[in-house]
Amino acid sequence: MKSRLATLFCLFAVAACGTDTPKEAGVPGGGGLPALPGPPGSDALGLEAQLDGRYIKSIRIEEGEFTANGPGQEIPLTFAAQGMSNVKQFEFRLEIDPVDALSFEGSSFEPVQPFIAPPGFSIEVMEGGQWRTGAASVSEAKEGNDTLGILKLVTGDRFSSGDKVQIRVAFFSMGPSFSDRDDYSAEDLNMGVVVNGE
């Protein structure tokens, strides 16, 4: 088990040494994140992206009640993939506006087997403020359709019922290794949720 964890840590350590900014998905400055078009006829951000890549066909956030009315409340986002092929690693990067509406220390990502998060790495804050999370398998490669994991976001100390938080998927990457993945920018994905959006 110890060697598996060490291997997993090395996988993410090497991946973390790569590019820190996703292609064409810069962190906006100042006036908040731009609104992204959702599905036709909807003002909401899209919950699903059709990707048709080498290692994945589509990614989605499962439907849910993305609401909170006070501090310390959990907002779960369940990520699922369809059409996986030879997948052993994946990574998400999120842009949160306003970022201080959520508690980084209280939030976590729980991957579904065979994926596991390396020790000390559930979520990390990147330079520029994006939150990065992901997981890897040290045994089997994943095939087909399945849930990847649950991102459990927790509201911050000053959160109130009138607050809205936009959570945008700024980058997604999936494949058999850190050096061989399908990479998707915010423009490719057009995905996200708005807490207390309605």
Side-chain angles (χ1 to χ4, degrees), residues 53-59 79-90 113-115 141-148 172 174-175:
R54 296 172 299 161
Y55 304 118
I56 182 173
K57 297 305 178 187
S58 69
I59 183 72
F79 288 90
Q82 290 190 315
M84 287 182 286
S85 176
N86 194 29
V87 171
K88 298 191 79 171
Q89 296 188 11
F90 64 87
Q113 292 290 334
F115 300 111
K142 192 67 179 174
E143 306 285 339
N145 309 333
D146 210 344
T147 300
L148 299 177
F172 173 64
M174 174 174 272

Side-chain angles (χ1 to χ4, degrees), residues 62-127:
E62 300 286 12
E63 293 278 355
E65 293 184 17
F66 307 115
T67 61
N69 56 27
Q73 294 185 352
E74 187 176 281
I75 305 163
L77 274 64
T78 301
F79 288 90
Q82 290 190 315
M84 287 182 286
S85 176
N86 194 29
V87 171
K88 298 191 79 171
Q89 296 188 11
F90 64 87
E91 174 186 342
F92 291 98
R93 300 181 193 179
L94 307 174
E95 289 176 349
I96 299 167
D97 182 32
V99 69
D100 59 358
L102 301 179
S103 167
F104 171 75
E105 292 77 12
S107 300
S108 63
F109 180 69
E110 295 183 5
V112 172
Q113 292 290 334
F115 300 111
I116 59 174
F121 179 89
S122 174
I123 305 175
E124 69 171 331
V125 178
M126 301 175 62
E127 184 177 341

Side-chain angles (χ1 to χ4, degrees), residues 4 14 23 64 68-70 74 83 90 105 114-115 129 132 143 169 176 181 193:
R4 284 185 177 187
V14 174
K23 59 182 179 180
N69 56 27
E74 187 176 281
F90 64 87
E105 292 77 12
F115 300 111
R132 175 163 60 180
E143 306 285 339
V169 183
R181 296 186 189 178
V193 302

Side-chain angles (χ1 to χ4, degrees), residues 15-52:
C17 293
T19 303
D20 279 344
T21 53
K23 59 182 179 180
E24 301 177 16
V27 179
L33 300 178
L36 297 179
S42 170
D43 292 331
L45 299 175
L47 293 179
E48 183 172 6
Q50 298 297 323
L51 304 174
D52 199 27

